[in-house]
Amino acid sequence: MTVNETRRTEGVTYFTTVDGVRIAYRIDGLVDKPVLVLANSIATSMNMWDGQISELSKHFRVLRYDYRGHGDSDTPDGPYSFDRLGRDTIELLDVLQIDRVHFLGLSLGGAVAQWLGIHAPERIDRLILSNTSSYLGPAEQWQGLITSVLEQGKLPEFADMFIKNWFPSHMLESENQHVTSFREMVLATRPHGIAGSWAAIRDMDMRRTAALISSPTLVITGQNDTVTLPEHGELIAKTVPDAKLLVLPAVHLSNVEYPTEFLSAVLEFLQVK
């Protein structure tokens, strides 16, 4: 399969990158609407946006995809880099012959979004950076995690870690369908995909280069986020010229914990005339 070939399976379409990795994606909404790309958190799939698709697709042609190592995409050996993850996105837009998009990324997706805003500003109209960071060092802390997640049988332990980092205690203590579905997404992610993405985070430092982002930018942060701390979002908002900052009383998955407020902010920002 070459980079320009696609095939469709149960609503998901695939293309192959120049380095031979098959990437899964899906499009919802009418072709005459502006394109909005959604990029998800590490250890999840494009399905993390299911709760927003119905409303977003009324206003946008919504394009979502699975990173390499996640969901229905292939899992090449790592390490990955944001240069590679960002170019996967650009190649997808090229295959679909889409010149410019709005881009909403959460967590790992927010780091991909920053890379695109810095290195491919001609492809980005409006940018939303949610629950993310421009730097999550030091590098040494990630190497231990990378080594550990690749050990046999460790994924359930890391699924527990992710879930505790993503949701407030009241959701964890109840039989919450969101918690269950996200745990299933983590357990369906290949350890090499998590390790490869952690390597990209390990090597990431966009604290200075984020100042090169020229797209109108909204930064959303969670007041109770222990993964990408509120001050991380505040730093991005101070660094990106004229960026707006929204603080929600959320942990890490603002789109799940505060869906109404999250969606309202996204639509208001993207529909500015």
Side-chain angles (χ1 to χ4, degrees):
M1 184 180 293
T2 68
V3 69
N4 291 317
E5 293 178 293
T6 60
R7 67 184 182 84
R8 187 176 298 275
T9 305
E10 296 181 352
V12 174
T13 302
Y14 302 84
F15 87 100
T16 301
T17 64
V18 293
D19 63 336
V21 177
R22 193 182 70 160
I23 300 292
Y25 66 94
R26 177 172 181 155
I27 300 177
D28 296 275
L30 300 176
V31 296
D32 61 341
K33 299 291 186 181
V35 178
L36 169 63
V37 181
L38 304 178
N40 39 279
S41 172
I42 193 172
T44 69
S45 71
M46 66 177 85
N47 297 113
M48 73 160 278
W49 300 104
D50 283 351
Q52 287 74 56
I53 294 301
S54 176
E55 183 63 29
L56 288 176
S57 61
K58 295 177 183 177
H59 309 278
F60 304 99
R61 187 182 182 203
V62 182
L63 169 61
R64 46 186 169 147
Y65 67 101
D66 289 330
Y67 307 121
R68 53 180 62 208
H70 291 70
D72 289 327
S73 294
D74 288 346
T75 306
D77 290 336
Y80 306 161
S81 68
F82 281 109
D83 182 73
R84 183 61 259 175
L85 294 175
R87 293 185 189 282
D88 286 347
T89 308
I90 293 173
E91 288 182 31
L92 173 57
L93 297 181
D94 288 345
V95 164
L96 296 174
Q97 298 182 327
I98 298 173
D99 292 329
R100 288 177 65 84
V101 299
H102 299 310
F103 198 100
L104 162 56
L106 188 149
S107 194
L108 181 67
V112 174
Q114 290 174 74
W115 188 94
L116 291 167
I118 294 165
H119 297 280
E122 72 282 358
R123 310 304 291 268
I124 303 299
D125 191 349
R126 287 181 168 260
L127 198 61
I128 302 178
L129 311 174
S130 181
N131 299 84
T132 192
S133 179
S134 53
Y135 175 73
L136 282 170
E140 293 76 16
Q141 68 182 4
W142 296 103
Q143 197 55 51
L145 290 171
I146 291 167
T147 300
S148 183
V149 77
L150 293 175
E151 295 176 9
Q152 185 73 25
K154 279 281 192 164
L155 191 56
E157 178 182 322
F158 279 97
D160 291 340
M161 181 194 76
F162 280 122
I163 293 303
K164 289 177 182 178
N165 286 338
W166 289 348
F167 293 101
S169 57
H170 71 86
M171 294 181 71
L172 297 175
E173 293 165 358
S174 63
E175 293 293 327
N176 188 284
Q177 62 179 3
H178 293 302
V179 174
T180 299
S181 66
F182 273 82
R183 183 185 297 276
E184 291 172 352
M185 275 189 270
V186 176
L187 293 174
T189 307
R190 279 75 68 200
H192 279 87
I194 298 173
S197 300
W198 270 340
I201 295 171
R202 175 196 64 198
D203 300 334
M204 171 186 75
D205 189 349
M206 293 184 276
R207 287 175 291 181
R208 296 180 64 184
T209 52
L212 299 175
I213 295 174
S214 57
S215 303
T217 300
L218 170 65
V219 180
I220 301 175
T221 189
Q223 185 176 357
N224 302 309
D225 195 338
T226 59
V227 180
T228 52
L229 301 175
E231 50 262 39
H232 293 193
E234 292 167 3
L235 176 61
I236 295 172
K238 290 178 182 177
T239 304
V240 177
D242 301 317
K244 298 180 179 180
L245 175 66
L246 171 66
V247 181
L248 293 176
V251 183
H252 192 58
L253 299 176
S254 294
N255 66 313
V256 177
E257 194 178 347
Y258 286 90
T260 301
E261 294 84 350
F262 183 91
L263 198 55
S264 176
V266 167
L267 290 173
E268 180 181 355
F269 178 73
L270 294 181
Q271 293 182 307
V272 172
K273 300 298 183 181

